[in-house]
Amino acid sequence: MSAPIDRRPRGIAPGGIAPGASRLGAETPRARVASILAQAARAYSARPPIEDITMPTGFDPAAVALFETIIEAAFLVANADGHFDEAERKRFQAIVVDACQNLVHEKQLEALLADLGEMLAEDGMEKRVAMVSRTIGRTEHQREVLRVAAFMAQASGGVSLHERGVLEQLARGFKLDAAAVDEALAQAAEPGNV
């Protein structure tokens, strides 16, 4: 009887881990969470531009909804003080496009922002925050929503009381404690963390 064939790539130890590699789940929370927005952006960018055509194989409507909700939360924070001028809109779009690793085209984002603006004008801040809170069920996604929204607050030169208020409303809607907002703000303040 012959020995079993070892099909592992060269340099992989018997436990299946390459020397020096981290074990599954050992990555930092920031590295894991940072990929949620990019993954959702990938699904969003794959969405057909025309609603009536057949969705491509592998299309994930839940990931698209997650992306739209993350962006809406950041949009709500950016609008917390009641105005969102053209300079803020351009900065918002540049931050989102960069955070999504250029997977989302600016025209897609412009259309989404137009829709979000209409919904905010029609429903008001409180209702939109409640809708975001109800849409996101998984705790890691809730924390990602807070983190990205906190980053948007930081990007405007510091977090205003209005912006913090929206972040706290989101956290309450998610049933997260007040420390979740402080944690999201701390993560957002770290360099290169979108």
Side-chain angles (χ1 to χ4, degrees), residues 52-71:
D52 296 337
I53 65 174
T54 304
M55 294 298 170
T57 303
F59 178 75
D60 186 356
V64 169
L66 176 61
F67 175 80
E68 290 175 343
T69 304
I70 292 169
I71 299 307

Side-chain angles (χ1 to χ4, degrees), residues 44 67-68 71-76 78-79 84-86 88-94 96-97 106-121 152:
Y44 187 81
F67 175 80
E68 290 175 343
I71 299 307
E72 182 171 9
F75 179 79
L76 293 173
N79 281 274
F84 189 61
D85 63 28
E86 191 60 29
E88 288 175 310
R89 176 183 285 274
K90 287 189 182 303
R91 184 174 59 234
F92 183 96
Q93 285 181 248
V96 172
V97 168
E106 284 190 45
K107 295 293 183 195
Q108 288 176 300
L109 190 55
E110 286 172 11
L112 177 57
L113 291 178
D115 290 345
L116 295 176
E118 288 175 16
M119 291 188 296
L120 179 58
M152 200 54 64

Side-chain angles (χ1 to χ4, degrees), residues 33-34 36-37 40 63 65-77 92 128-129 131-153 163 166-171 173-174 176 180-181 183-185 187-188 194:
V33 172
I36 293 172
L37 178 60
L66 176 61
F67 175 80
E68 290 175 343
T69 304
I70 292 169
I71 299 307
E72 182 171 9
F75 179 79
L76 293 173
V77 168
F92 183 96
R128 293 315 311 162
V129 168
M131 293 301 295
V132 167
S133 298
R134 281 196 301 248
T135 303
I136 305 296
R138 293 177 60 183
T139 303
E140 76 179 70
H141 292 172
Q142 292 168 344
R143 291 185 183 282
E144 170 73 342
V145 167
L146 280 179
R147 187 185 67 77
V148 173
F151 182 84
M152 200 54 64
E163 291 167 332
V166 172
L167 290 167
E168 289 171 351
Q169 285 179 314
L170 286 166
F174 293 147
L176 297 174
V181 172
E183 181 183 315
L185 287 167
Q187 289 177 352
V194 180

